[in-house]
Amino acid sequence: MASCSTCGAGVGPSSSALVSRAHYGRKQASLSAERVAAQAPRRCLLAAAMAGNRANEAPQQRMERQLRESAEVEERVVSIDTEEEFLQALDEAGPKLVVVEVQSERVCETGMDEPEPEIHWKLDAEQEQARRMAKCAAVKHTIQRTARECPDVSFLYLETDGSPEREALVQKLGVKVLPTLQFYRDGKLLWEHKGVMQMEAGVGEGMMYYGDAPTTTSGGEAPSSLVADITSRAGLQQFLGAASDPKVLQVLNVALTSAGPCIKVFPAVVALSRTFKGFATFGRLVGDVNGDTRALIKELNIIEVPTFIFFRAGKEVGRHVGSSRGDLIGQILLQQEREGLSPPPPPVTAKAKPRSRAGMRRGRTAQQ
């Protein structure tokens, strides 16, 4: 089985026992029409551009929008207090992605492996606490905005307040760091992000990796429309046979469901698929999805993930192992350089208007 030295956390014993009970004895015949309809993917855009141009909003319009958005958040983000409520929410979600946010109004930890820094001065401690709580508040707002824009994902919120029922649920979920963000599907814990460090980015990364959510990184397109999802041997053959032009490099991203580095690097893969159109094509093989994918990663001799296998006209020409975005770009360029191929020019951006000489003189005077 492929491994990774810095993989994301998997399901702990208590968590796996908990979620398995949510689906014990589920009868397929009981699926409602709503759940069947929910399997049809609807898209969400995790970008402020979805809200349109708000710069010209009148105060009354802004207030009405904020009230409307608050009502949407209350409807979309469901607060849970007990194990029974959590299990019921998982059961009702069925195959939909479920995002669980566990936070505290008093505690905001980094989630880093090293001990939290000890602060001796009271003022410094208060400032550090305020800074951290502001970060946790920003994460909460990010999740709320995401919930408004992603109707095909279920969002749950658990706030720890010392009450016995909530603390018991925190223990059952295996949460030891606050805040923690967990992603579930079909009652299974897929991945969790521990601590506030990089959690805002983690929201988007998880939504792209598991929820196929369009973002600014993907240009508003679903990642699966840019990076082919390969879930079978036939799918791999189709991907390799799609590009007959030897000038186009085929990049196969081999990953695992819960491997943190695979999740972290995926936005870069999606971005490169846009930047390198006509230069390289991209596919993703998640190796632990089914029997076919498990057999494929063995045949491909995958030892660590993420592994990137480079093909040209269906034939393997090289490999790269690692989650560094820069190293991946470098390896792709190196493969193409060996064939005498140059990367496409960068996207054209709007040019800044030239400054007048008077303006330049005023700028120099101000700097002096």
Side-chain angles (χ1 to χ4, degrees):
M1 172 61 70
S3 63
C4 178
S5 58
T6 54
C7 287
V11 181
S14 61
S15 184
S16 62
L18 176 62
V19 297
S20 64
R21 286 168 52 191
H23 295 268
Y24 177 77
R26 174 185 291 176
K27 298 180 181 179
Q28 293 299 323
S30 66
L31 286 174
S32 64
E34 289 84 357
R35 183 176 301 177
V36 173
Q39 297 182 37
R42 290 183 289 168
R43 303 303 182 194
C44 58
L45 181 60
L46 308 183
M50 278 290 290
N53 183 10
R54 298 177 178 175
N56 298 324
E57 278 186 331
Q60 182 64 27
Q61 290 176 318
R62 184 179 300 108
M63 181 179 297
E64 291 175 355
R65 173 180 57 79
Q66 291 172 344
L67 290 173
R68 184 174 61 254
E69 290 177 351
S70 297
E72 291 173 354
V73 167
E74 290 181 4
E75 180 182 351
R76 295 284 299 117
V77 182
V78 179
S79 177
I80 54 174
D81 300 317
T82 66
E83 177 181 340
E84 288 71 24
E85 291 176 353
F86 172 68
L87 297 177
Q88 181 180 355
L90 279 187
D91 190 68
E92 290 176 352
K96 290 170 58 175
L97 183 67
V98 178
V99 180
V100 182
E101 174 194 6
V102 186
Q103 272 208 9
S104 168
E105 293 294 331
R106 300 182 302 274
V107 179
C108 186
E109 299 168 303
T110 63
M112 301 175 67
D113 291 335
E114 58 266 22
E116 301 286 336
E118 184 178 354
I119 301 176
H120 298 282
W121 297 99
K122 180 179 179 181
L123 180 60
D124 290 343
E126 291 176 349
Q127 291 175 342
E128 174 65 15
Q129 175 69 3
R131 184 180 66 83
R132 286 198 188 177
M133 295 311 299
K135 285 187 175 181
C136 274
V139 167
K140 187 174 182 178
H141 292 151
T142 297
I143 294 173
Q144 289 174 344
R145 184 173 66 250
T146 304
R148 290 197 307 268
E149 297 166 357
C150 297
D152 57 335
V153 179
S154 295
F155 291 84
L156 305 178
Y157 176 70
L158 171 60
E159 181 183 335
T160 63
D161 60 358
S163 66
E165 286 186 328
R166 290 186 178 182
E167 291 304 316
L169 180 53
V170 169
Q171 293 297 319
K172 288 291 185 180
L173 293 176
V175 172
K176 299 184 183 299
V177 177
L178 297 173
T180 287
L181 193 66
Q182 297 182 335
F183 293 81
Y184 291 83
R185 178 175 279 123
D186 288 321
K188 179 183 178 182
L189 176 59
L190 304 174
W191 177 61
E192 63 180 356
H193 184 112
K194 302 177 182 179
V196 74
M197 296 295 290
Q198 301 298 319
M199 183 171 276
E200 284 190 85
V203 174
E205 291 164 351
M207 293 297 296
M208 288 184 70
Y209 196 77
Y210 298 116
D212 198 28
T215 66
T216 51
T217 299
S218 63
E221 300 180 63
S224 60
S225 69
L226 300 169
V227 180
D229 264 324
I230 298 167
T231 58
S232 66
R233 189 179 304 276
L236 178 59
Q237 292 173 350
Q238 182 180 0
F239 171 71
L240 295 179
S244 57
D245 186 351
K247 294 181 180 180
V248 178
L249 186 69
Q250 298 164 295
V251 182
L252 180 64
N253 172 201
V254 185
L256 292 177
T257 299
S258 299
C262 298
I263 299 165
K264 296 292 183 183
V265 77
F266 187 60
V269 176
V270 174
L272 289 174
S273 70
R274 295 180 62 221
T275 305
F276 285 165
K277 277 188 177 179
F279 186 70
T281 60
F282 293 79
R284 178 177 65 162
L285 170 65
V286 181
D288 52 352
V289 169
N290 56 43
D292 254 13
T293 59
R294 292 185 183 92
L296 284 172
I297 63 171
K298 288 182 179 179
E299 294 173 16
L300 293 170
N301 195 29
I302 302 300
I303 307 299
E304 297 180 73
V305 291
T307 289
F308 296 89
I309 308 179
F310 305 121
F311 296 87
R312 198 177 298 281
K315 295 183 179 180
E316 182 176 339
V317 295
R319 293 192 175 204
H320 170 68
V321 179
S323 59
S324 166
R325 294 161 168 78
D327 289 348
L328 174 60
I329 295 171
Q331 287 296 319
I332 292 173
L333 295 178
L334 178 62
Q335 290 292 333
Q336 295 295 68
E337 184 181 347
R338 289 172 179 170
E339 299 296 319
L341 301 172
S342 301
V348 177
T349 57
K351 295 182 179 180
K353 294 181 179 180
R355 296 173 61 187
S356 65
R357 292 184 178 180
M360 294 175 66
R361 285 196 297 271
R362 286 196 297 271
R364 285 197 296 268
T365 303
Q367 290 175 358
Q368 294 171 354

